[in-house]
Amino acid sequence: MTRATRIREKLRWSNLYTFSCIRPSVLELEGGAHSLEGPGFSRIVYCNQPRVHRKKPLKYPSNYISTTKYNIFTFLPKAIFEQFRRVANLYFLLAAILSLTPVAPFSAVSMIAPLAFVVGLSMAKEALEDWRRFIQDMKVNSRKVCIHKGEGKFGYKQWQKIRVGDVVKVEKDQFFPADLLLLSSSYEDGICYVETMNLDGETNLKIKRSLEVTLPLGDDEDFKNFAGIIKCEDPNPNLYTFVGNFESDRQIFALDPSQILLRDSKLRNTTYVYGVVIFTGHDSKVMQNSTKSPSKRSRIEKKMDYIIYILFTLLVLISLISSIGFAVKTKFLMPDWWYLQPHNTTSLYDPTKPGLSGIFHLVTALILYGYLIPISLYVSIEVVKVLQAMFINQDIQMYDEETGNPAQARTSNLNEELGQVDTILSDKTGTLTCNQMDFLKCSIAGVSYGVVSSEVEMAAAKLMAGDLNEQNPENSNVSAQNRGTHDFWGKSGNDVAVSEIELENVITHKIGKPRKHPIKGFSFEDDRLMDGSWLNEPNAEVILLFFRILALCHTAIPESNEETGGFNYEAESPDEGAFLVAAREFGCEFCKRTQSSVFIRERYNMSGHPIEREFKILNLLEFSSKRKRMSVIVRDEDGQILLLCKGADSIIFDRLAKNGRVYEEDTSRQLNEYGEAGLRTLVLAYRKLEEPEYSAWNNEFLKAKTTIGPEREALLERVADMMEKDLILIGATAVEDKLQKGVPQCIDKLAQAGLKIWVLTGDKMETAINIGFACSLLRQGMKQIFISTMNAEALSQDPEKAVKENILMQITNASQMIKLEKDPHAAFALIIDGKTLSHALEDDMKLQFLSLAVDCASVICCRVSPRQKALVTRLVKEGTGKTTLAIGDGANDVGMIQEADIGVGISGVEGMQAVMASDFSIAQFRFLERLLVVHGHWCYKRIAQMVCYFFYKNIAFGLTLFYFEAYTGFSGQSVYDDWYMLLFNVILTSLPVISLGVFEQDVSSDVCLQFPALYQQGPRNVFFDWYRIIGWMANGLYASLIIFFLNINIFYDQAFRAGGQTADMAAVGTTMFTCIIWAVNCQIALTMSHFTWIQHLFVWGSIFTWYLFLVLYGMSSPIFSGNAFRILVEALAPAPIYWSITLVITAACNLPYLTHIAFQRSFNPMDHHVIQEIKYYKKDVKDQHMWTRERSKARQETKIGLTVRVEARIRQFKGKLAKKCSALTVQTGS
Amino acid sequence: MLISVIFIPIGVASLLASRDVVEIVDRYETDCIPANYTGDELSFIQDPSSNKTCSRTLTVPKHMKQPIYVYYQLDNFYQNHRRYVKSRNDKQLRSADNANSTSGCDPEDRANGSPIVPCGLIAWSLFNDTYNFSLNNEALTVNTSGISWKSDRDKKFGDNVYPRNFQNGTLIGGKRLDPSRPLSEQEDLIVWMRTAALPTFRKLYGKIEVDLEANSTISVTLENNYNTYSFGGKKKLVLSTTRWLGGKNDFLGIAYLTVGGLCFFLAMAFIVVYLVKPRQLGDPSYLSWNRSPSGH
C-alpha cells in the first residue's frame, strides 16, 4: 500500500464523534498524572528498548504461554501422584507392596500386574490429553507478528519471542500478541477499532485511541529514535482498568484503559496499529483472568467413591472378623493341630503370640478380600468412557458440514454427567446467534414490508400446523382453526385473505424455496420495494427518506470490493452493516465517506439514471447504550439541513413531534409483531432543521464540546438532547439477529426435556431480550421481572447500602408476585443486568436471588462480565445442588465453562479458548440436544448400570472368599486358584460389562429425541440412587450366599462322581468359580436391553473363555497349574453333578432379579419399558395416532420454548374466538 | 415356568439317585480306645507300643452293588489351612532331579541335613489307619489302586521319585512310606495330597469289588493309628456305593426342587396377576406422563 492511499484513508474520526472520542485532559502536567506510589505499581517498561528487559530487575516473563499440566520432567512424578490420590489405587499399591512379603495370600505378580496395567492406562490417557494442550499452545506461541527490529525496520517474529518493550505493528484482523499500549494507527488521529469478543463476548467494536504525544509515530521509520518509559500497575486480571503513566521527553502523560490493546482481542476496521508491549505471556490480562482448569468429576463418580468407602468399611470389617477369628483359633485351637506343627512355626501362625499373628493376618485378609473392591472398575470405566467419547466424536449427526467440525468429547470423564443436566447456562453471541444480522422486514409509513418470516415464525408455524392437525384431525372446525392461525400471522386480524397469502408465503419459504440471490445480511423479500418498484408505492417520498436514513445514519466506512465492483462496509456493529447492505439493495448505495461528507448513489429515481448525491455531515451524535439512539445532522444538496435519527422505539416515540405521530399506531403494532417474531427493531425518524435553528444549536454544541472538565459529557448529552426532539416518525426496521441453525427447536426440545435454560450475555439488555424472544425463551405475555440498579449517586450517604436494599426489595417483591400468581400458565422471566448482579451475588443476597431465579421460567443476565458468568454458574451449581452445563464459544465464557459441572465449547468460530477450556465441544448449539438427550441419557444409564453391576459382581465374588475363610480356621486360604482370581476381574467379567457400558441403549436415539421426557430419568437420578445401589449390593450378597452354600452342601463329603472320588479343594473351587462366572454373566445378559452381536459375543464368549482357560490351564505343566491340573477334562467335565450345580445355581442367583423386573414391568413399568414394548410390538407403526399423541404428551410442562409459545397463542386465539362467537350470537340475536 | 418344568424332574432324578446310594458309616475313634486308656486317649495314641488293633462289625442294610467304595472320614481336620495347603512342593514330587527343591515345605523340608522326599506338612501327616475287611470270615480284598486321579499318577507324582529321609525327623507325623515304591504308585499319598476343601472330609481308601448282600455282616479289623484325639476329631469308616451323581447327598435334589418350586410358584403368581389385572404390553397409559396428570 502506498503512502498516498494511506493518507487518503486517514480520517479524523474525532472530529465526527461526539462522545467516545473525548480525549481526556490532552496534555497533563506532572500533577495530573496518576500517582503510582506504593505496592502494585512497580512495573517499568522502556519502550522500544526490549534489551533493557533481558536483565533483572526488569526481566518480565516471556510471551510464551503454556496451559499444560505437566512438562517432560514433572510428568512422571506428578502424574503418578495424581493416580495414587485415588484411594483405591493407593490401596492396591499397598497391597502390591505387601504381596512381596509372605503375608500375602496370593503371588506378587497377580497383584502388581493389574495395578500396573490400570495406572499405566490412566497415565497414558493423561499424557495424551496434555500433549494435545501442548500442541494447541505451540500453535498460539508460534503465530507471527511484525516487530520493530531496530533502525526503523520491521520484521516478523513469533509471538513467544516478543518481549516487554518491543514495538509491534499489528495489522487488520490480527490478534494482539500481548497487552499493548497503542501508539498510533492508520487513522490520523490514532484511533483504532478493537473486537473484544474473546474477552467479554461483546460484538460491538470498541474504539481505542492513542495519546496525542505518540501520534506522530505514523510510520516504520519513525521508530528509529522512539523512546519512552511506561510506569504502570502490576499484572492483574482486571480487564477494564489500567493505571499508568507514559513518560516521554521528560513529560508525563496519564494512561487509561482506552490506550491499552489487550491480548486476544482483534484489530478491526483499521489497517494497522503500532503498539508497545507492556504485559507479555502470563502477565497479560487475559491470561491473568484465566483460572486453572479444575479437574471435574461426575456425580456418579463421586457417589462411586462413597460406595467404595462403604465397601472399604465392609472390607475392614470382615478382615477384622476374620483376623480376630484367626487369632482366637490360633491361640486356643491351633496348639492341638499337631499336623500343622504349631510349635515349630513362624510368627505368622504362632499360637503363643496370637496378637501378632492376628495383626499379620489382618493384612493378609485385607489383601485377600480386596476383591470386594473392583480394581478394574476405574480402568473399565475409563475404557468405557473413552469408547463412549469415541461414539460422541463419531456421531455423524453432530458433524457440522459447514465447518467440518465433529462433536468432540475432550475430557471423557463427564459423559454420564451429560445425562443429568438440570440447568443450562448459555452464552449468547456465537452460541445462540451467529453474530450475523439479516435485514428482514421494515415498516415504512405504517406499512409493513418484507414477506420472509423469521426462523422463529417458521418454526412456530410449522409446529402450530402440526399441533392443530394432530389435536383435531377430523374436526369440522379445522378450517376455522386454521383461519384463526392465519390471523396471528396477519397484520390486521380481519383481513383473512391477506393473511392466508402470508401463511402461504411462510409455508413456501419453509419448504425451502432457494433464495434468488443470497446476500449476507439481507434476506428481505418484497416485490413492492425491490428493484425500484417502491417508486410506485403511495408513500414513495417517505420510503426514499427511509432509505436515506439507512444509508446516512451510521459510522461505517465503505471499502470497494474488487471482485464484485460493489462495496463492503466496515461497520461498528453488524446491525449497521445490515442496514447499509439493505440500503444498497434498495438502491441507495453508500459509496464514499470523506472527512465531511457521505456520498450515496441512488439508482432508482424519476430520471432513471443513477445519481451520486453528496450529503455534508454536520454533526454525528453516536450511539451509546445510555442514549439508545444515534443521529446525524446532514445538509443535502439542496442545502436542507436534516437530522436523521435511529434508535430504540421507546426513546424515539418519546421524542416525536405532534405532527410526527401519523404512523405511530401502526408502527408500534408492527414493532410488537416484529418483536414477537424475535427480530431486533429500531425506529427511524427525522427532523427538518432551519438554518438559524441549527447554527444556534451548533454554537452551543461546540461550546459544550470544548468545555474541559468532568461535566463535559453531561453537557454534551444535554445539548444533543435538545436537538433530538420533535422528530417525525418514518418507520422501523426489523433485523434478524441470525440465530444459529436449529436453535429455537433445540431450545424447545431441551425445555421439553425439563431443562432450565439461562442466558448469560455480555450484550446490552435490549439485545439480550431480543434474543430471548428470538429463541423463544421469552414471549409476549410472559411477565418480565427486571431487576436493575437505581441511580446510586442520587443518594448522598452510603449509596452502596441503599442500592443493595433496593435490589433486595425488588427481589422480594418479585418473589412475592410469583407466589401470588394464580394462573397456571403464567410464566415469569427474570432479566437482570451485570451491575445489579454484582450486588445480587453478594453473600447476603444470593440465596434470595437464586430462589427467585429458580421460580422463573427463564433467566436472562445481560452485561455480565466473564467473572460474573462464572459466579452465576457457581451460584446455580452450589445453590441448587444440581448439575449445570455451561455452553459458550468465546474466551469470555471460559470462566463459566470451567466452573460449571460440564463445560461445552462451540468450535468452528475463531478463538479456541472456550473449546480448550471445555469438556465437550460441538460445532453448533443445536447439537446440544443430541449430545444431552441421546448421548447423555445413554451414557448416564450405561455408566450407572455398569457401576452397579461392578459392585454386584465383586460382592458376589469377594464374599465367597470370606465365607470360605470361616471353614479354613480363618487362615487366609482362598478356595480358588490364584489365576482364577486374577482373571476374574481382568478378563472373565470385564468385557461384558464394558460392552454394557458402551453399547447398551434402553431406547433408540430416535425415541430419545421423540420423548425428551425420558431425559428426566437422569436429573432425577433414577438409575443411581441409593435404593438401586443397595438393591444391587443385596443382590450380590444373595448371589454369594447361594453360590457358596449350595456348593459347599452339594460337595459336602460324599463322592461327587460315579468313580467314587471325593471333591478336593481344587474341584470345589473350580465349580464354585464356574457358578460365579455363569451367574454374573447371565445377570448382565438380563440387565442388557439392547443386544448386538458384540454383546452376545462378549457375554457368552466370557463363559466360553472360562472353560477354554480351564482346559488350557489344565494342559499346562502341573508345576504351574498345581491342583488344577487337568481338572476340567478329567475330574469335572465327566461329572454330571458339576453341570447340574452350575445350572441350579445360575437359576437361583438370577431368580430374584428376574422376579424384580417381572414385578416392576407388570405393576410399575418405567417409561422406557413401555416404549420398548411399543417398539417391540411395532405398535408405533400400526397405531401412528397413538404414537404421535404420546409423543406430544411426553413433552414436559414447560413455560419456555416454541411449543409453549404456540400453545399460548392457541389459547389466546380460542379466547378471542369464543368472544367473537358470542359477539356474533349477540348480533344475530339482536 | 420353563425353569420349573426343567428343574423339578432334575430334582426328582437327583433325589432318586441319592436315595439309591447305600451308605454305611461307622464311627470308631472312641470305641477303639481300650477301656484302660479311657480319658487318656492322647497317651494311648502316642504310645508306639500300645496295641492299636480294633475290630468292628458292620451290617449291610441293603444290597450293595460293586464297586463299593471304602472311605475314611476325618472331622475337624483343617486340611484347608493356609499353612498346611502351601506346605508341599510339586516340583519335588514330579521328578527325582528336584529332590532338593523343598521351598515352601517348611518346617518339614529337611531332616538331618538332607531333604525330605516328599517334603511338607501334608505328606508328613499322611493318614495311617488301616482297614481289613472280611465277610463271613473270608477276607474281602480291598483294591487300593486306581483310587487317585490318573493325571496325578501319570504327571504329578513321578515314577522315579522314591520316598527318602521320610519320617526321619524328631517328630513323627503319620504314615511311613515304602521307600522302595515310587510315589506314583503310593496312591494313598496321592489321594491325601489332594487337600480337602472343608474341615470335614472323606478320602477314598479303596474299592471292594464284590457285591454285598443285604443283612450280611462285615467284620473290620482296623489299626487305629492316626491321632485325631488331640484336636477332638472324629474318625469314620464309610462304605458307599455310587450312582451317576456320586455318593449319597440329597441336597442337590432339594435345591433343584426348591428352585423349581419357587419358579413354579412365581410363574403361577404372575399368571394370576396377569389374569386378574392384565397390563397390555406397550400400553401407553402406563407412561409416566399419563399416570400423573399433574405433570412433573
Side-chain angles (χ1 to χ4, degrees), chain A residues 446-491:
Chain A
V447 182
S448 175
Y449 297 96
V451 294
V452 179
S453 36
S454 70
E455 273 175 50
V456 180
E457 280 178 306
M458 280 193 281
K462 209 168 159 185
L463 206 65
M464 192 182 291
D467 261 20
L468 285 177
N469 292 341
E470 207 172 90
Q471 283 179 358
N472 25 7
E474 66 285 315
N475 196 330
S476 59
N477 211 15
V478 172
S479 59
Q481 284 271 5
N482 275 347
R483 204 176 304 141
T485 328
H486 298 180
D487 266 15
F488 302 138
W489 306 110
K491 286 174 290 298

Side-chain angles (χ1 to χ4, degrees), chain A residues 799-858:
Chain A
E800 263 308 286
K801 201 179 153 199
V803 167
K804 279 184 78 171
E805 272 170 11
N806 179 271
I807 294 170
L808 191 62
M809 209 175 69
Q810 290 182 42
I811 292 177
T812 24
N813 282 350
S815 312
Q816 213 63 37
M817 193 166 92
I818 291 176
K819 262 189 215 121
L820 294 176
E821 183 61 49
K822 294 276 180 346
D823 181 8
H825 295 295
F828 294 88
L830 178 68
I831 295 146
I832 189 164
D833 66 31
K835 213 162 144 198
T836 320
L837 202 57
S838 65
H839 293 294
L841 288 178
E842 277 163 29
D843 282 341
D844 44 348
M845 218 191 286
K846 66 181 181 191
L847 288 177
Q848 282 100 316
F849 168 65
L850 184 69
S851 63
L852 171 65
V854 167
D855 285 336
C856 290
S858 45

Side-chain angles (χ1 to χ4, degrees), chain A residues 307-470:
Chain A
I307 305 174
I308 288 198
Y309 289 135
I310 291 176
L311 286 182
F312 254 124
T313 323
L314 184 69
L315 169 69
V316 171
L317 196 75
I318 62 174
S319 298
L320 271 176
I321 292 174
S322 73
S323 64
I324 289 168
F326 177 71
V328 168
K329 287 239 176 192
T330 306
K331 179 157 174 59
F332 297 108
L333 298 175
M334 194 163 146
D336 299 331
W337 297 344
W338 60 267
Y339 49 89
L340 292 179
Q341 297 204 352
H343 305 294
N344 189 5
T345 182
T346 58
S347 54
L348 257 57
Y349 309 98
D350 193 346
T352 56
K353 295 182 202 143
L356 188 66
S357 303
I359 287 164
F360 275 123
H361 185 265
L362 182 66
V363 178
T364 312
L366 283 175
I367 299 172
L368 179 69
Y369 306 140
Y371 280 90
L372 279 178
I373 294 164
I375 185 175
S376 55
L377 175 63
Y378 283 113
V379 77
S380 303
I381 285 185
E382 220 128 284
V383 168
V384 162
K385 283 180 176 174
V386 167
L387 290 173
Q388 286 178 344
M390 243 171 62
F391 276 137
I392 293 176
N393 297 348
Q394 304 279 321
D395 193 335
I396 193 75
Q397 294 187 47
M398 292 201 293
Y399 174 78
D400 187 24
E401 281 175 6
E402 271 165 52
T403 56
N405 280 322
Q408 207 190 353
R410 293 175 39 82
T411 43
S412 51
N413 50 358
L414 291 172
N415 295 342
E416 73 276 14
E417 195 83 340
L418 286 176
Q420 293 190 279
V421 176
D422 183 73
T423 311
I424 296 175
L425 298 124
S426 172
D427 175 42
K428 185 190 78 70
T429 316
T431 307
L432 299 175
T433 65
C434 321
N435 196 24
Q436 181 199 327
M437 304 295 166
D438 264 5
F439 191 87
L440 209 63
K441 292 188 185 192
C442 60
S443 147
I444 307 173
V447 182
S448 175
Y449 297 96
V451 294
V452 179
S453 36
S454 70
E455 273 175 50
V456 180
E457 280 178 306
M458 280 193 281
K462 209 168 159 185
L463 206 65
M464 192 182 291
D467 261 20
L468 285 177
N469 292 341
E470 207 172 90

Side-chain angles (χ1 to χ4, degrees), chain A residues 1051-1119:
Chain A
F1051 275 128
Y1052 183 56
D1053 55 2
Q1054 87 290 6
F1056 76 100
R1057 42 182 285 170
Q1061 293 93 337
T1062 52
D1064 66 334
M1065 203 154 84
V1068 173
T1070 308
T1071 314
M1072 215 184 271
F1073 201 80
T1074 312
C1075 294
I1076 290 176
I1077 296 292
W1078 269 98
V1080 297
N1081 279 312
C1082 287
Q1083 175 71 67
I1084 202 167
L1086 280 179
T1087 316
M1088 286 179 186
S1089 49
H1090 175 80
F1091 275 101
T1092 63
W1093 61 270
I1094 300 176
Q1095 275 103 318
H1096 282 295
L1097 178 77
F1098 282 161
V1099 173
W1100 312 123
S1102 290
I1103 297 175
F1104 175 74
T1105 312
W1106 161 241
Y1107 287 113
L1108 187 72
F1109 161 76
L1110 266 187
V1111 172
L1112 292 177
Y1113 189 53
M1115 268 158 55
S1116 67
S1117 155
I1119 303 291

Side-chain angles (χ1 to χ4, degrees), chain B residues 54-255:
Chain B
C54 169
S55 38
R56 313 280 298 164
T57 44
L58 307 172
T59 317
V60 179
K62 263 195 220 164
H63 178 74
M64 288 174 95
K65 270 173 106 177
Q66 67 98 3
I68 298 154
Y69 295 98
V70 179
Y71 301 92
Y72 53 91
Q73 175 168 347
L74 295 180
D75 196 77
N76 207 11
F77 188 98
Y78 285 88
Q79 240 201 341
N80 57 13
H81 197 280
R82 188 151 72 99
R83 179 174 162 83
Y84 191 81
V85 171
K86 295 218 175 330
S87 190
R88 62 187 287 162
N89 190 308
D90 283 339
K91 266 190 195 163
Q92 193 199 40
L93 298 174
R94 195 159 179 238
S95 156
D97 307 337
N98 298 327
N100 279 325
S101 82
T102 56
S103 69
C105 286
D106 179 71
E108 276 302 311
D109 50 349
R110 312 179 139 262
N112 312 324
S114 56
I116 301 170
V117 181
C119 71
L121 288 173
I122 310 180
W124 174 74
S125 59
L126 179 58
F127 186 73
N128 58 358
D129 285 8
T130 56
Y131 311 108
N132 287 302
F133 299 90
S134 59
L135 181 65
N136 306 329
N137 294 327
E138 207 174 299
L140 272 175
T141 43
V142 175
N143 183 0
T144 56
S145 69
I147 56 171
S148 63
W149 298 110
K150 189 169 178 303
S151 63
D152 280 4
R153 293 195 296 273
D154 295 350
K155 301 277 165 140
K156 282 182 83 174
F157 292 82
D159 52 9
N160 57 354
V161 185
Y162 295 92
R164 181 149 46 103
N165 200 19
F166 191 66
Q167 303 286 24
N168 275 351
T170 43
L171 275 170
I172 306 298
K175 187 176 174 181
R176 289 168 198 275
L177 291 172
D178 179 359
S180 61
R181 285 171 66 210
L183 289 188
S184 60
E185 286 174 23
Q186 313 226 10
E187 291 200 33
D188 49 350
L189 176 74
I190 298 176
V191 169
W192 181 253
M193 293 285 275
R194 282 259 170 201
T195 48
L198 297 176
T200 301
F201 60 90
R202 280 181 198 174
K203 289 205 176 284
L204 201 51
Y205 180 84
K207 291 180 273 190
I208 296 173
E209 282 163 336
V210 289
D211 287 5
L212 295 178
E213 297 304 322
N215 299 323
S216 56
T217 45
I218 305 166
S219 56
V220 186
T221 316
L222 56 83
E223 266 188 65
N224 182 17
N225 293 324
Y226 204 68
N227 175 13
T228 57
Y229 301 99
S230 65
F231 50 87
K234 298 172 202 149
K235 287 199 267 194
K236 286 175 189 162
L237 172 65
V238 180
L239 271 75
S240 170
T241 59
T242 59
R243 305 289 294 182
W244 58 279
L245 267 180
K248 191 175 183 67
N249 191 342
D250 295 348
F251 197 83
L252 183 67
I254 294 171

Side-chain angles (χ1 to χ4, degrees), chain A residues 603-619:
Chain A
R603 242 186 303 161
Y604 310 108
N605 52 33
M606 296 308 176
S607 68
H609 298 288
I611 309 172
E612 193 166 293
R613 287 183 200 274
E614 180 187 353
F615 289 85
K616 285 212 157 36
I617 303 284
L618 302 176
N619 298 89

